[in-house]
Each structure stands twice: as C-alpha cells, then as structure tokens.
Amino acid sequence: MTMSKTIAAAATIAAAVSFTSAASASIFTIDYHDTGVWQAYDADNEAYAMKFRSDQGKDGFWLVVTDGANPKGDGTTNAILYGDLANNKLTAYTYNGENNSNSYEAGTLLGTYENVFSSGGTHPTYGYDMTMFSLDVSGINNALGADFDGVTLGEQAGIWFHQSDGSQFTYGADGSITDYSFTSQMFLDGGGDATRVHAAVDCSAGETARQNYLDSCGSSEIGGGGVVGSSSGGTSSGGGSVPAPGGLALLLVGLAGLGRMRLRNKA
C-alpha cells in the first residue's frame, strides 16, 4: 500500500539543484483542471508540488493527498497540510481521518514551513492567477515508520483539498497551530483518480514540445517568468523536512499544459 521510500533527503537536495540532469524519475502528475488544481509527486526524491487557482479570495487551505483512495476516514497513514497564504506559511500534521479541519488539535506536528508560496503565473487558457508551492516531504513521509505514507501520489491519487477565505491562523512558540478559523470554504474531494507518469525531459526541446511533461530544465529554458515561482529561502521547524529547493518548484511547469491539451482534445 505504501510507496517505496528509497532515496535519502540528501539525495533529494543534490538531485534538485541539477536542473539539467538526464536521470530518469518516477514523477506522478494529475490535474483537476476543471477546478484549477494541478499536482506532482517525484517518488524517487520524495518531492511534492501543487499549483492552484488563487483569484477567488481564498487565503487558506487544508490538504490531504494519497496514492489511491479518498483520504477521508483513514486516520493512520496520511499527513495533512495547512496553508496560510497571508503569512506565507505551511504547517504539516498527522491527519485524523475526520471530515473537518481540526486534525491539528490533537495531531502530531510534522513540520512548519516559511516562505513556501509563490506565483504560479496565469492560466494559459483562462487567464486567472495561480499560486504554487513545492516541498521536500521526505521528513514527513518517514517521520512515523514504514506504514505512514505522509504525502504521496502513485499510479492513482486521492485528494481532500479545502480552500478557505477569511482565514485566521494562530500559532504557538514552536510553530504549531493553536487555532484556525475561516468564513467559508470550497473543496475538491476525490479518490482512485488515475495519474500520469513522467520521466526526465529533453531540455533542448522547445517549450511547446515540452508542455505535456514535467520540466527539469533551468528557468531560462521555460519562459513565462512567474510560472517557475520557487520556494527558495524557506525554513522549517517542528521536525519536518526543509522546503524543496527552487529546482523542485519546476515540477509543475508543464502541468498547465496538460489541462490545455486535454481541453483541445475534447474540442
């Protein structure tokens, strides 16, 4: 049930800073383009990235992802991520399996992350703004033993993503959440969704040729400026892993193209 965790955190960082590496990777991607959400997970390096629509006044979220079923009801194997966009802060806890935002109240703090959110550019078809983040989640995934998945995607994906507005987070001295309130929410809820698998791409190819792939090339190869927003400079505490270096933020560069191509194919 759990995904193999074979690469150490040090290898994650080493691989991330080599933008033009030709090494293959098991990178699982899924886009929920109807709701403006894209995800990617590098299984070899235990790196997770997300890009989401951010033009509707939502300033917070809670998020659980899995490599298969809908995470609701599973209170033993998954991590939950709390996003505080106003303070550019993300906090990871164990997820209790319940259909609410309260896992932080009695859960185990897995990590706190500063300065993780950046611009995801604008949607190539519809023009709305997007936000993105990328994390080295190896520390989360390996925090509680082999039976704890943490944050993973595989051949299938499950997601429980609630975005909130009027979000108010209060934190303790150790970075833990002591209170989280909000005015309203919207959600994406699913399980057993098929992902796509990608490996390294040819950095000599043009952007159009690469748009259906996750890009491991340098930012100068991409174009679009903010589309390659990174989480560089972030810090962590509470036992979690450090945020992924800027290179891992490039995981999502090609995902907007996935939605664009699918829409064209439907047409």
Side-chain angles (χ1 to χ4, degrees):
M1 179 181 66
T2 59
M3 186 174 294
S4 174
K5 304 166 182 174
T6 58
I7 305 300
T12 302
I13 297 174
V17 297
S18 180
F19 294 153
T20 58
S21 172
S24 62
S26 296
I27 300 175
F28 299 94
T29 73
I30 184 166
D31 71 278
Y32 302 91
H33 57 269
D34 291 338
T35 54
V37 174
W38 292 262
Q39 295 187 91
Y41 180 70
D42 182 336
D44 292 339
N45 296 311
E46 294 188 276
Y48 173 78
M50 172 182 263
K51 182 188 290 186
F52 55 92
R53 182 174 183 173
S54 56
D55 67 333
Q56 298 176 310
K58 306 303 180 185
D59 49 15
F61 65 78
W62 64 95
L63 167 68
V64 185
V65 297
T66 75
D67 57 0
N70 188 311
K72 286 190 300 185
D74 181 355
T76 60
T77 62
N78 303 310
I80 183 169
L81 305 178
Y82 292 92
D84 179 354
L85 275 68
N87 293 300
N88 204 338
K89 184 183 182 74
L90 188 146
T91 313
Y93 277 86
T94 53
Y95 172 51
N96 64 10
E98 296 181 5
N99 188 21
N100 57 50
S101 62
N102 300 332
S103 291
Y104 69 89
E105 293 181 347
T108 299
L109 176 64
L110 300 173
T112 62
Y113 306 86
E114 307 286 344
N115 302 320
V116 295
F117 298 109
S118 58
S119 171
T122 57
H123 191 280
T125 301
Y126 302 115
Y128 55 69
D129 293 331
M130 294 179 288
T131 294
M132 68 183 296
F133 69 93
S134 62
L135 291 178
D136 170 358
V137 294
S138 58
I140 294 174
N141 293 357
N142 295 282
L144 299 175
D147 292 332
F148 186 71
D149 290 344
V151 179
T152 60
L153 300 177
E155 293 181 358
Q156 291 187 327
I159 187 170
W160 191 54
F161 182 45
H162 285 239
Q163 291 180 272
S164 60
D165 59 17
S167 308
Q168 297 291 329
F169 288 88
T170 305
Y171 301 95
D174 62 350
S176 61
I177 298 173
T178 58
D179 189 61
Y180 170 32
S181 62
F182 52 89
T183 302
S184 64
Q185 59 172 299
M186 58 187 293
F187 63 89
L188 171 61
D189 193 349
D193 302 312
T195 63
R196 296 188 178 189
V197 183
H198 302 276
V201 296
D202 181 3
C203 292
S204 63
E207 181 182 357
T208 300
R210 294 200 312 265
Q211 67 183 354
N212 277 341
Y213 296 88
L214 292 172
D215 206 312
S216 59
C217 306
S219 59
S220 62
E221 293 281 334
I222 307 304
V227 176
V228 295
S230 82
S231 57
S232 60
T235 59
S236 71
S237 62
S241 57
V242 296
L248 289 182
L250 299 179
L251 285 169
L252 286 184
V253 167
L255 288 182
L258 288 172
R260 177 169 52 186
M261 292 300 292
R262 286 186 180 183
L263 289 173
R264 287 177 179 173
N265 289 339
K266 286 182 179 180

